PDB file of all heavy atoms in Angstrom:
ATOM      1  N   ARG A  10     225.593 130.320  -2.979  1.00  0.00           N
ATOM      2  CA  ARG A  10     225.219 130.331  -4.394  1.00  0.00           C
ATOM      3  C   ARG A  10     225.079 128.899  -4.923  1.00  0.00           C
ATOM      4  O   ARG A  10     224.092 128.560  -5.575  1.00  0.00           O
ATOM      5  CB  ARG A  10     226.262 131.092  -5.215  1.00  0.00           C
ATOM      6  CG  ARG A  10     226.332 132.588  -4.903  1.00  0.00           C
ATOM      7  CD  ARG A  10     227.515 133.220  -5.622  1.00  0.00           C
ATOM      8  NE  ARG A  10     227.642 134.625  -5.302  1.00  0.00           N
ATOM      9  CZ  ARG A  10     227.059 135.610  -5.979  1.00  0.00           C
ATOM     10  NH1 ARG A  10     226.337 135.331  -7.046  1.00  0.00           N
ATOM     11  NH2 ARG A  10     227.226 136.859  -5.605  1.00  0.00           N
ATOM     12  N   TYR A  13     222.014 127.209  -3.422  1.00  0.00           N
ATOM     13  CA  TYR A  13     220.760 127.640  -4.041  1.00  0.00           C
ATOM     14  C   TYR A  13     220.593 127.005  -5.414  1.00  0.00           C
ATOM     15  O   TYR A  13     219.503 126.502  -5.739  1.00  0.00           O
ATOM     16  CB  TYR A  13     220.708 129.166  -4.168  1.00  0.00           C
ATOM     17  CG  TYR A  13     219.466 129.611  -4.913  1.00  0.00           C
ATOM     18  CD1 TYR A  13     218.234 129.702  -4.270  1.00  0.00           C
ATOM     19  CD2 TYR A  13     219.501 129.888  -6.288  1.00  0.00           C
ATOM     20  CE1 TYR A  13     217.082 130.052  -4.953  1.00  0.00           C
ATOM     21  CE2 TYR A  13     218.353 130.244  -6.979  1.00  0.00           C
ATOM     22  CZ  TYR A  13     217.153 130.330  -6.306  1.00  0.00           C
ATOM     23  OH  TYR A  13     216.008 130.666  -6.996  1.00  0.00           O
ATOM     24  N   ARG A  14     221.646 127.018  -6.228  1.00  0.00           N
ATOM     25  CA  ARG A  14     221.538 126.445  -7.573  1.00  0.00           C
ATOM     26  C   ARG A  14     221.192 124.968  -7.512  1.00  0.00           C
ATOM     27  O   ARG A  14     220.355 124.479  -8.286  1.00  0.00           O
ATOM     28  CB  ARG A  14     222.847 126.662  -8.342  1.00  0.00           C
ATOM     29  CG  ARG A  14     223.075 128.107  -8.802  1.00  0.00           C
ATOM     30  CD  ARG A  14     224.201 128.175  -9.813  1.00  0.00           C
ATOM     31  NE  ARG A  14     225.484 127.794  -9.241  1.00  0.00           N
ATOM     32  CZ  ARG A  14     226.360 128.650  -8.715  1.00  0.00           C
ATOM     33  NH1 ARG A  14     226.083 129.940  -8.684  1.00  0.00           N
ATOM     34  NH2 ARG A  14     227.498 128.208  -8.219  1.00  0.00           N
ATOM     35  N   SER A  15     221.815 124.239  -6.591  1.00  0.00           N
ATOM     36  CA  SER A  15     221.528 122.805  -6.502  1.00  0.00           C
ATOM     37  C   SER A  15     220.090 122.568  -6.059  1.00  0.00           C
ATOM     38  O   SER A  15     219.424 121.639  -6.547  1.00  0.00           O
ATOM     39  CB  SER A  15     222.500 122.122  -5.528  1.00  0.00           C
ATOM     40  OG  SER A  15     222.197 122.408  -4.175  1.00  0.00           O
ATOM     41  N   ALA A  16     219.582 123.416  -5.155  1.00  0.00           N
ATOM     42  CA  ALA A  16     218.197 123.275  -4.703  1.00  0.00           C
ATOM     43  C   ALA A  16     217.225 123.603  -5.831  1.00  0.00           C
ATOM     44  O   ALA A  16     216.183 122.954  -5.981  1.00  0.00           O
ATOM     45  CB  ALA A  16     217.940 124.170  -3.494  1.00  0.00           C
ATOM     46  N   ALA A  17     217.556 124.618  -6.629  1.00  0.00           N
ATOM     47  CA  ALA A  17     216.688 124.982  -7.753  1.00  0.00           C
ATOM     48  C   ALA A  17     216.627 123.860  -8.786  1.00  0.00           C
ATOM     49  O   ALA A  17     215.548 123.531  -9.305  1.00  0.00           O
ATOM     50  CB  ALA A  17     217.196 126.271  -8.406  1.00  0.00           C
ATOM     51  N   VAL A  18     217.768 123.264  -9.094  1.00  0.00           N
ATOM     52  CA  VAL A  18     217.809 122.156 -10.049  1.00  0.00           C
ATOM     53  C   VAL A  18     217.028 120.965  -9.514  1.00  0.00           C
ATOM     54  O   VAL A  18     216.245 120.324 -10.234  1.00  0.00           O
ATOM     55  CB  VAL A  18     219.268 121.754 -10.351  1.00  0.00           C
ATOM     56  CG1 VAL A  18     219.323 120.451 -11.132  1.00  0.00           C
ATOM     57  CG2 VAL A  18     219.972 122.864 -11.136  1.00  0.00           C
ATOM     58  N   ALA A  19     217.214 120.652  -8.228  1.00  0.00           N
ATOM     59  CA  ALA A  19     216.502 119.529  -7.630  1.00  0.00           C
ATOM     60  C   ALA A  19     215.001 119.781  -7.609  1.00  0.00           C
ATOM     61  O   ALA A  19     214.207 118.864  -7.853  1.00  0.00           O
ATOM     62  CB  ALA A  19     217.012 119.275  -6.208  1.00  0.00           C
ATOM     63  N   TYR A  20     214.599 121.033  -7.344  1.00  0.00           N
ATOM     64  CA  TYR A  20     213.169 121.330  -7.309  1.00  0.00           C
ATOM     65  C   TYR A  20     212.558 121.164  -8.703  1.00  0.00           C
ATOM     66  O   TYR A  20     211.474 120.589  -8.846  1.00  0.00           O
ATOM     67  CB  TYR A  20     212.904 122.741  -6.786  1.00  0.00           C
ATOM     68  CG  TYR A  20     211.431 122.971  -6.563  1.00  0.00           C
ATOM     69  CD1 TYR A  20     210.805 122.442  -5.445  1.00  0.00           C
ATOM     70  CD2 TYR A  20     210.655 123.627  -7.503  1.00  0.00           C
ATOM     71  CE1 TYR A  20     209.443 122.574  -5.253  1.00  0.00           C
ATOM     72  CE2 TYR A  20     209.281 123.761  -7.331  1.00  0.00           C
ATOM     73  CZ  TYR A  20     208.691 123.235  -6.197  1.00  0.00           C
ATOM     74  OH  TYR A  20     207.336 123.344  -6.017  1.00  0.00           O
ATOM     75  N   ALA A  21     213.249 121.666  -9.722  1.00  0.00           N
ATOM     76  CA  ALA A  21     212.749 121.500 -11.088  1.00  0.00           C
ATOM     77  C   ALA A  21     212.626 120.018 -11.440  1.00  0.00           C
ATOM     78  O   ALA A  21     211.678 119.611 -12.128  1.00  0.00           O
ATOM     79  CB  ALA A  21     213.680 122.206 -12.070  1.00  0.00           C
ATOM     80  N   ASP A  22     213.544 119.203 -10.937  1.00  0.00           N
ATOM     81  CA  ASP A  22     213.491 117.765 -11.195  1.00  0.00           C
ATOM     82  C   ASP A  22     212.284 117.131 -10.497  1.00  0.00           C
ATOM     83  O   ASP A  22     211.614 116.256 -11.063  1.00  0.00           O
ATOM     84  CB  ASP A  22     214.784 117.106 -10.715  1.00  0.00           C
ATOM     85  CG  ASP A  22     214.793 115.609 -10.952  1.00  0.00           C
ATOM     86  OD1 ASP A  22     214.778 115.186 -12.117  1.00  0.00           O
ATOM     87  OD2 ASP A  22     214.797 114.851  -9.959  1.00  0.00           O
ATOM     88  N   ILE A  23     211.984 117.578  -9.273  1.00  0.00           N
ATOM     89  CA  ILE A  23     210.807 117.069  -8.563  1.00  0.00           C
ATOM     90  C   ILE A  23     209.549 117.367  -9.373  1.00  0.00           C
ATOM     91  O   ILE A  23     208.689 116.500  -9.562  1.00  0.00           O
ATOM     92  CB  ILE A  23     210.700 117.709  -7.160  1.00  0.00           C
ATOM     93  CG1 ILE A  23     211.825 117.211  -6.256  1.00  0.00           C
ATOM     94  CG2 ILE A  23     209.328 117.421  -6.531  1.00  0.00           C
ATOM     95  CD1 ILE A  23     211.964 117.987  -4.961  1.00  0.00           C
ATOM     96  N   VAL A  24     209.436 118.601  -9.857  1.00  0.00           N
ATOM     97  CA  VAL A  24     208.257 118.994 -10.632  1.00  0.00           C
ATOM     98  C   VAL A  24     208.123 118.137 -11.883  1.00  0.00           C
ATOM     99  O   VAL A  24     207.021 117.705 -12.257  1.00  0.00           O
ATOM    100  CB  VAL A  24     208.322 120.486 -10.993  1.00  0.00           C
ATOM    101  CG1 VAL A  24     207.183 120.874 -11.943  1.00  0.00           C
ATOM    102  CG2 VAL A  24     208.258 121.348  -9.727  1.00  0.00           C
ATOM    103  N   VAL A  46     203.154 123.957  -5.843  1.00  0.00           N
ATOM    104  CA  VAL A  46     204.224 124.205  -6.816  1.00  0.00           C
ATOM    105  C   VAL A  46     204.176 125.649  -7.296  1.00  0.00           C
ATOM    106  O   VAL A  46     205.221 126.306  -7.444  1.00  0.00           O
ATOM    107  CB  VAL A  46     204.118 123.222  -8.000  1.00  0.00           C
ATOM    108  CG1 VAL A  46     205.077 123.616  -9.125  1.00  0.00           C
ATOM    109  CG2 VAL A  46     204.417 121.799  -7.539  1.00  0.00           C
ATOM    110  N   THR A  49     205.759 127.855  -4.595  1.00  0.00           N
ATOM    111  CA  THR A  49     207.210 127.709  -4.519  1.00  0.00           C
ATOM    112  C   THR A  49     207.903 128.312  -5.735  1.00  0.00           C
ATOM    113  O   THR A  49     208.931 128.995  -5.610  1.00  0.00           O
ATOM    114  CB  THR A  49     207.588 126.227  -4.385  1.00  0.00           C
ATOM    115  OG1 THR A  49     206.782 125.617  -3.375  1.00  0.00           O
ATOM    116  CG2 THR A  49     209.054 126.076  -4.023  1.00  0.00           C
ATOM    117  N   ALA A  50     207.342 128.079  -6.902  1.00  0.00           N
ATOM    118  CA  ALA A  50     207.933 128.634  -8.121  1.00  0.00           C
ATOM    119  C   ALA A  50     207.943 130.157  -8.063  1.00  0.00           C
ATOM    120  O   ALA A  50     208.915 130.805  -8.487  1.00  0.00           O
ATOM    121  CB  ALA A  50     207.156 128.159  -9.344  1.00  0.00           C
ATOM    122  N   SER A  51     206.887 130.740  -7.517  1.00  0.00           N
ATOM    123  CA  SER A  51     206.811 132.197  -7.432  1.00  0.00           C
ATOM    124  C   SER A  51     207.744 132.751  -6.367  1.00  0.00           C
ATOM    125  O   SER A  51     208.523 133.673  -6.611  1.00  0.00           O
ATOM    126  CB  SER A  51     205.371 132.621  -7.135  1.00  0.00           C
ATOM    127  OG  SER A  51     205.272 134.029  -7.044  1.00  0.00           O
ATOM    128  N   SER A  52     207.690 132.171  -5.157  1.00  0.00           N
ATOM    129  CA  SER A  52     208.423 132.740  -4.033  1.00  0.00           C
ATOM    130  C   SER A  52     209.915 132.423  -4.036  1.00  0.00           C
ATOM    131  O   SER A  52     210.722 133.215  -3.546  1.00  0.00           O
ATOM    132  CB  SER A  52     207.808 132.270  -2.709  1.00  0.00           C
ATOM    133  OG  SER A  52     208.001 130.880  -2.531  1.00  0.00           O
ATOM    134  N   ALA A  53     210.287 131.270  -4.572  1.00  0.00           N
ATOM    135  CA  ALA A  53     211.685 130.840  -4.481  1.00  0.00           C
ATOM    136  C   ALA A  53     212.441 130.883  -5.798  1.00  0.00           C
ATOM    137  O   ALA A  53     213.669 130.753  -5.808  1.00  0.00           O
ATOM    138  CB  ALA A  53     211.754 129.427  -3.909  1.00  0.00           C
ATOM    139  N   LEU A  54     211.721 131.068  -6.913  1.00  0.00           N
ATOM    140  CA  LEU A  54     212.383 131.142  -8.219  1.00  0.00           C
ATOM    141  C   LEU A  54     212.120 132.495  -8.881  1.00  0.00           C
ATOM    142  O   LEU A  54     213.037 133.293  -9.072  1.00  0.00           O
ATOM    143  CB  LEU A  54     211.911 129.991  -9.115  1.00  0.00           C
ATOM    144  CG  LEU A  54     212.262 128.579  -8.630  1.00  0.00           C
ATOM    145  CD1 LEU A  54     211.620 127.533  -9.539  1.00  0.00           C
ATOM    146  CD2 LEU A  54     213.766 128.378  -8.554  1.00  0.00           C
ATOM    147  N   ARG A  55     210.863 132.773  -9.240  1.00  0.00           N
ATOM    148  CA  ARG A  55     210.559 134.032  -9.924  1.00  0.00           C
ATOM    149  C   ARG A  55     210.927 135.244  -9.074  1.00  0.00           C
ATOM    150  O   ARG A  55     211.448 136.240  -9.590  1.00  0.00           O
ATOM    151  CB  ARG A  55     209.086 134.079 -10.303  1.00  0.00           C
ATOM    152  CG  ARG A  55     208.701 135.373 -11.016  1.00  0.00           C
ATOM    153  CD  ARG A  55     207.373 135.238 -11.723  1.00  0.00           C
ATOM    154  NE  ARG A  55     206.302 134.864 -10.820  1.00  0.00           N
ATOM    155  CZ  ARG A  55     205.112 134.428 -11.233  1.00  0.00           C
ATOM    156  NH1 ARG A  55     204.845 134.275 -12.510  1.00  0.00           N
ATOM    157  NH2 ARG A  55     204.186 134.114 -10.350  1.00  0.00           N
ATOM    158  N   GLN A  56     210.687 135.166  -7.773  1.00  0.00           N
ATOM    159  CA  GLN A  56     210.961 136.313  -6.915  1.00  0.00           C
ATOM    160  C   GLN A  56     212.442 136.661  -6.854  1.00  0.00           C
ATOM    161  O   GLN A  56     212.802 137.818  -6.609  1.00  0.00           O
ATOM    162  CB  GLN A  56     210.446 136.025  -5.493  1.00  0.00           C
ATOM    163  CG  GLN A  56     210.520 137.207  -4.555  1.00  0.00           C
ATOM    164  CD  GLN A  56     210.090 136.871  -3.141  1.00  0.00           C
ATOM    165  OE1 GLN A  56     210.825 137.113  -2.209  1.00  0.00           O
ATOM    166  NE2 GLN A  56     208.908 136.294  -2.977  1.00  0.00           N
ATOM    167  N   VAL A  57     213.299 135.675  -7.088  1.00  0.00           N
ATOM    168  CA  VAL A  57     214.742 135.929  -6.994  1.00  0.00           C
ATOM    169  C   VAL A  57     215.177 136.979  -8.008  1.00  0.00           C
ATOM    170  O   VAL A  57     215.859 137.952  -7.662  1.00  0.00           O
ATOM    171  CB  VAL A  57     215.536 134.615  -7.170  1.00  0.00           C
ATOM    172  CG1 VAL A  57     217.030 134.904  -7.354  1.00  0.00           C
ATOM    173  CG2 VAL A  57     215.307 133.717  -5.965  1.00  0.00           C
ATOM    174  N   ALA A  58     214.784 136.797  -9.257  1.00  0.00           N
ATOM    175  CA  ALA A  58     215.160 137.787 -10.280  1.00  0.00           C
ATOM    176  C   ALA A  58     214.548 139.151  -9.966  1.00  0.00           C
ATOM    177  O   ALA A  58     215.197 140.193 -10.141  1.00  0.00           O
ATOM    178  CB  ALA A  58     214.713 137.305 -11.649  1.00  0.00           C
ATOM    179  N   LEU A  61     216.503 140.658  -6.828  1.00  0.00           N
ATOM    180  CA  LEU A  61     217.881 141.012  -7.167  1.00  0.00           C
ATOM    181  C   LEU A  61     217.939 142.215  -8.104  1.00  0.00           C
ATOM    182  O   LEU A  61     218.968 142.893  -8.197  1.00  0.00           O
ATOM    183  CB  LEU A  61     218.601 139.822  -7.796  1.00  0.00           C
ATOM    184  CG  LEU A  61     218.820 138.622  -6.864  1.00  0.00           C
ATOM    185  CD1 LEU A  61     219.579 137.519  -7.588  1.00  0.00           C
ATOM    186  CD2 LEU A  61     219.551 139.029  -5.603  1.00  0.00           C
ATOM    187  N   LEU A 106     201.017 127.760 -14.724  1.00  0.00           N
ATOM    188  CA  LEU A 106     201.827 126.574 -15.016  1.00  0.00           C
ATOM    189  C   LEU A 106     201.322 125.804 -16.230  1.00  0.00           C
ATOM    190  O   LEU A 106     202.099 125.121 -16.904  1.00  0.00           O
ATOM    191  CB  LEU A 106     201.866 125.651 -13.797  1.00  0.00           C
ATOM    192  CG  LEU A 106     202.582 126.201 -12.554  1.00  0.00           C
ATOM    193  CD1 LEU A 106     202.448 125.220 -11.403  1.00  0.00           C
ATOM    194  CD2 LEU A 106     204.044 126.507 -12.848  1.00  0.00           C
ATOM    195  N   PRO A 110     203.965 122.198 -16.552  1.00  0.00           N
ATOM    196  CA  PRO A 110     204.560 122.903 -15.416  1.00  0.00           C
ATOM    197  C   PRO A 110     206.072 122.788 -15.355  1.00  0.00           C
ATOM    198  O   PRO A 110     206.763 123.743 -15.000  1.00  0.00           O
ATOM    199  CB  PRO A 110     203.903 122.227 -14.207  1.00  0.00           C
ATOM    200  CG  PRO A 110     202.626 121.667 -14.723  1.00  0.00           C
ATOM    201  CD  PRO A 110     202.942 121.227 -16.123  1.00  0.00           C
ATOM    202  N   ALA A 111     206.597 121.627 -15.714  1.00  0.00           N
ATOM    203  CA  ALA A 111     208.039 121.417 -15.613  1.00  0.00           C
ATOM    204  C   ALA A 111     208.809 122.397 -16.496  1.00  0.00           C
ATOM    205  O   ALA A 111     209.869 122.896 -16.107  1.00  0.00           O
ATOM    206  CB  ALA A 111     208.394 119.979 -15.988  1.00  0.00           C
ATOM    207  N   ALA A 112     208.278 122.688 -17.675  1.00  0.00           N
ATOM    208  CA  ALA A 112     208.964 123.603 -18.585  1.00  0.00           C
ATOM    209  C   ALA A 112     209.029 125.003 -17.999  1.00  0.00           C
ATOM    210  O   ALA A 112     210.083 125.659 -18.027  1.00  0.00           O
ATOM    211  CB  ALA A 112     208.256 123.623 -19.936  1.00  0.00           C
ATOM    212  N   LEU A 113     207.907 125.490 -17.449  1.00  0.00           N
ATOM    213  CA  LEU A 113     207.890 126.841 -16.895  1.00  0.00           C
ATOM    214  C   LEU A 113     208.756 126.941 -15.644  1.00  0.00           C
ATOM    215  O   LEU A 113     209.496 127.915 -15.471  1.00  0.00           O
ATOM    216  CB  LEU A 113     206.459 127.260 -16.573  1.00  0.00           C
ATOM    217  CG  LEU A 113     206.284 128.710 -16.078  1.00  0.00           C
ATOM    218  CD1 LEU A 113     206.858 129.699 -17.090  1.00  0.00           C
ATOM    219  CD2 LEU A 113     204.816 129.006 -15.817  1.00  0.00           C
ATOM    220  N   VAL A 114     208.696 125.927 -14.785  1.00  0.00           N
ATOM    221  CA  VAL A 114     209.528 125.938 -13.577  1.00  0.00           C
ATOM    222  C   VAL A 114     211.006 125.905 -13.963  1.00  0.00           C
ATOM    223  O   VAL A 114     211.831 126.598 -13.363  1.00  0.00           O
ATOM    224  CB  VAL A 114     209.160 124.754 -12.664  1.00  0.00           C
ATOM    225  CG1 VAL A 114     210.198 124.579 -11.547  1.00  0.00           C
ATOM    226  CG2 VAL A 114     207.772 124.976 -12.056  1.00  0.00           C
ATOM    227  N   GLY A 115     211.349 125.132 -14.970  1.00  0.00           N
ATOM    228  CA  GLY A 115     212.733 125.108 -15.437  1.00  0.00           C
ATOM    229  C   GLY A 115     213.199 126.460 -15.947  1.00  0.00           C
ATOM    230  O   GLY A 115     214.326 126.883 -15.691  1.00  0.00           O
ATOM    231  N   GLN A 116     212.320 127.161 -16.661  1.00  0.00           N
ATOM    232  CA  GLN A 116     212.645 128.506 -17.153  1.00  0.00           C
ATOM    233  C   GLN A 116     212.835 129.482 -15.990  1.00  0.00           C
ATOM    234  O   GLN A 116     213.749 130.309 -15.995  1.00  0.00           O
ATOM    235  CB  GLN A 116     211.547 128.999 -18.081  1.00  0.00           C
ATOM    236  CG  GLN A 116     211.460 128.262 -19.401  1.00  0.00           C
ATOM    237  CD  GLN A 116     210.184 128.570 -20.151  1.00  0.00           C
ATOM    238  OE1 GLN A 116     209.455 129.511 -19.826  1.00  0.00           O
ATOM    239  NE2 GLN A 116     209.880 127.772 -21.171  1.00  0.00           N
ATOM    240  N   MET A 117     211.968 129.385 -14.983  1.00  0.00           N
ATOM    241  CA  MET A 117     212.092 130.259 -13.815  1.00  0.00           C
ATOM    242  C   MET A 117     213.401 130.002 -13.084  1.00  0.00           C
ATOM    243  O   MET A 117     214.078 130.939 -12.637  1.00  0.00           O
ATOM    244  CB  MET A 117     210.918 130.035 -12.860  1.00  0.00           C
ATOM    245  CG  MET A 117     209.587 130.566 -13.348  1.00  0.00           C
ATOM    246  SD  MET A 117     208.325 130.282 -12.060  1.00  0.00           S
ATOM    247  CE  MET A 117     206.875 130.994 -12.849  1.00  0.00           C
ATOM    248  N   ALA A 118     213.768 128.731 -12.947  1.00  0.00           N
ATOM    249  CA  ALA A 118     215.021 128.385 -12.279  1.00  0.00           C
ATOM    250  C   ALA A 118     216.212 128.949 -13.042  1.00  0.00           C
ATOM    251  O   ALA A 118     217.172 129.458 -12.445  1.00  0.00           O
ATOM    252  CB  ALA A 118     215.137 126.867 -12.139  1.00  0.00           C
ATOM    253  N   ALA A 119     216.163 128.869 -14.354  1.00  0.00           N
ATOM    254  CA  ALA A 119     217.264 129.396 -15.174  1.00  0.00           C
ATOM    255  C   ALA A 119     217.390 130.911 -15.014  1.00  0.00           C
ATOM    256  O   ALA A 119     218.504 131.442 -14.885  1.00  0.00           O
ATOM    257  CB  ALA A 119     217.042 129.028 -16.638  1.00  0.00           C
ATOM    258  N   ARG A 120     216.249 131.625 -15.016  1.00  0.00           N
ATOM    259  CA  ARG A 120     216.285 133.083 -14.845  1.00  0.00           C
ATOM    260  C   ARG A 120     216.819 133.460 -13.467  1.00  0.00           C
ATOM    261  O   ARG A 120     217.588 134.420 -13.328  1.00  0.00           O
ATOM    262  CB  ARG A 120     214.899 133.676 -15.066  1.00  0.00           C
ATOM    263  CG  ARG A 120     214.460 133.724 -16.522  1.00  0.00           C
ATOM    264  CD  ARG A 120     213.277 134.656 -16.716  1.00  0.00           C
ATOM    265  NE  ARG A 120     212.084 134.183 -16.045  1.00  0.00           N
ATOM    266  CZ  ARG A 120     211.177 133.390 -16.588  1.00  0.00           C
ATOM    267  NH1 ARG A 120     211.341 132.957 -17.846  1.00  0.00           N
ATOM    268  NH2 ARG A 120     210.110 133.013 -15.912  1.00  0.00           N
ATOM    269  N   ALA A 121     216.415 132.698 -12.452  1.00  0.00           N
ATOM    270  CA  ALA A 121     216.859 132.992 -11.093  1.00  0.00           C
ATOM    271  C   ALA A 121     218.375 132.820 -10.956  1.00  0.00           C
ATOM    272  O   ALA A 121     219.059 133.680 -10.390  1.00  0.00           O
ATOM    273  CB  ALA A 121     216.132 132.096 -10.099  1.00  0.00           C
ATOM    274  N   THR A 122     218.900 131.715 -11.465  1.00  0.00           N
ATOM    275  CA  THR A 122     220.336 131.477 -11.333  1.00  0.00           C
ATOM    276  C   THR A 122     221.136 132.449 -12.183  1.00  0.00           C
ATOM    277  O   THR A 122     222.242 132.853 -11.807  1.00  0.00           O
ATOM    278  CB  THR A 122     220.680 130.030 -11.704  1.00  0.00           C
ATOM    279  OG1 THR A 122     220.185 129.725 -13.016  1.00  0.00           O
ATOM    280  CG2 THR A 122     220.045 129.055 -10.711  1.00  0.00           C
ATOM    281  N   HIS A 123     220.586 132.866 -13.324  1.00  0.00           N
ATOM    282  CA  HIS A 123     221.254 133.866 -14.158  1.00  0.00           C
ATOM    283  C   HIS A 123     221.319 135.203 -13.413  1.00  0.00           C
ATOM    284  O   HIS A 123     222.358 135.879 -13.409  1.00  0.00           O
ATOM    285  CB  HIS A 123     220.503 134.035 -15.474  1.00  0.00           C
ATOM    286  CG  HIS A 123     221.105 135.056 -16.383  1.00  0.00           C
ATOM    287  ND1 HIS A 123     222.254 134.820 -17.116  1.00  0.00           N
ATOM    288  CD2 HIS A 123     220.730 136.337 -16.677  1.00  0.00           C
ATOM    289  CE1 HIS A 123     222.565 135.898 -17.815  1.00  0.00           C
ATOM    290  NE2 HIS A 123     221.654 136.831 -17.568  1.00  0.00           N
ATOM    291  N   ALA A 124     220.214 135.597 -12.775  1.00  0.00           N
ATOM    292  CA  ALA A 124     220.200 136.854 -12.014  1.00  0.00           C
ATOM    293  C   ALA A 124     221.169 136.783 -10.848  1.00  0.00           C
ATOM    294  O   ALA A 124     221.852 137.772 -10.527  1.00  0.00           O
ATOM    295  CB  ALA A 124     218.781 137.144 -11.521  1.00  0.00           C
ATOM    296  N   LEU A 125     221.254 135.635 -10.195  1.00  0.00           N
ATOM    297  CA  LEU A 125     222.166 135.487  -9.066  1.00  0.00           C
ATOM    298  C   LEU A 125     223.615 135.626  -9.503  1.00  0.00           C
ATOM    299  O   LEU A 125     224.436 136.227  -8.805  1.00  0.00           O
ATOM    300  CB  LEU A 125     221.943 134.118  -8.406  1.00  0.00           C
ATOM    301  CG  LEU A 125     222.854 133.773  -7.233  1.00  0.00           C
ATOM    302  CD1 LEU A 125     222.742 134.819  -6.133  1.00  0.00           C
ATOM    303  CD2 LEU A 125     222.516 132.384  -6.693  1.00  0.00           C
ATOM    304  N   ALA A 126     223.939 135.098 -10.673  1.00  0.00           N
ATOM    305  CA  ALA A 126     225.310 135.179 -11.169  1.00  0.00           C
ATOM    306  C   ALA A 126     225.748 136.627 -11.392  1.00  0.00           C
ATOM    307  O   ALA A 126     226.940 136.941 -11.317  1.00  0.00           O
ATOM    308  CB  ALA A 126     225.438 134.385 -12.465  1.00  0.00           C
ATOM    309  N   LEU A 147     219.505 135.221   0.049  1.00  0.00           N
ATOM    310  CA  LEU A 147     219.379 134.029  -0.801  1.00  0.00           C
ATOM    311  C   LEU A 147     219.148 132.732  -0.018  1.00  0.00           C
ATOM    312  O   LEU A 147     218.365 131.888  -0.460  1.00  0.00           O
ATOM    313  CB  LEU A 147     220.606 133.893  -1.698  1.00  0.00           C
ATOM    314  CG  LEU A 147     220.301 133.899  -3.192  1.00  0.00           C
ATOM    315  CD1 LEU A 147     219.510 132.694  -3.632  1.00  0.00           C
ATOM    316  CD2 LEU A 147     219.567 135.181  -3.569  1.00  0.00           C
ATOM    317  N   LEU A 154     212.878 126.374  -1.213  1.00  0.00           N
ATOM    318  CA  LEU A 154     212.998 125.292  -2.190  1.00  0.00           C
ATOM    319  C   LEU A 154     213.128 123.929  -1.516  1.00  0.00           C
ATOM    320  O   LEU A 154     212.528 122.944  -1.953  1.00  0.00           O
ATOM    321  CB  LEU A 154     214.200 125.533  -3.101  1.00  0.00           C
ATOM    322  CG  LEU A 154     214.067 126.656  -4.136  1.00  0.00           C
ATOM    323  CD1 LEU A 154     215.421 126.967  -4.753  1.00  0.00           C
ATOM    324  CD2 LEU A 154     213.050 126.277  -5.217  1.00  0.00           C
TER     325      LEU A 154
END
Side-chain angles (χ1 to χ4, degrees):
R10 294 172 182 270
Y13 175 81
R14 287 193 295 267
S15 75
V18 170
Y20 188 77
D22 180 65
I23 291 168
V24 173
V46 171
T49 312
S51 180
S52 67
L54 296 175
R55 180 164 58 194
Q56 187 184 126
V57 169
L61 294 182
L106 294 176
L113 184 56
V114 168
Q116 291 167 13
M117 288 183 179
R120 286 196 294 270
T122 55
H123 179 76
L125 178 57
L147 239 294
L154 288 168

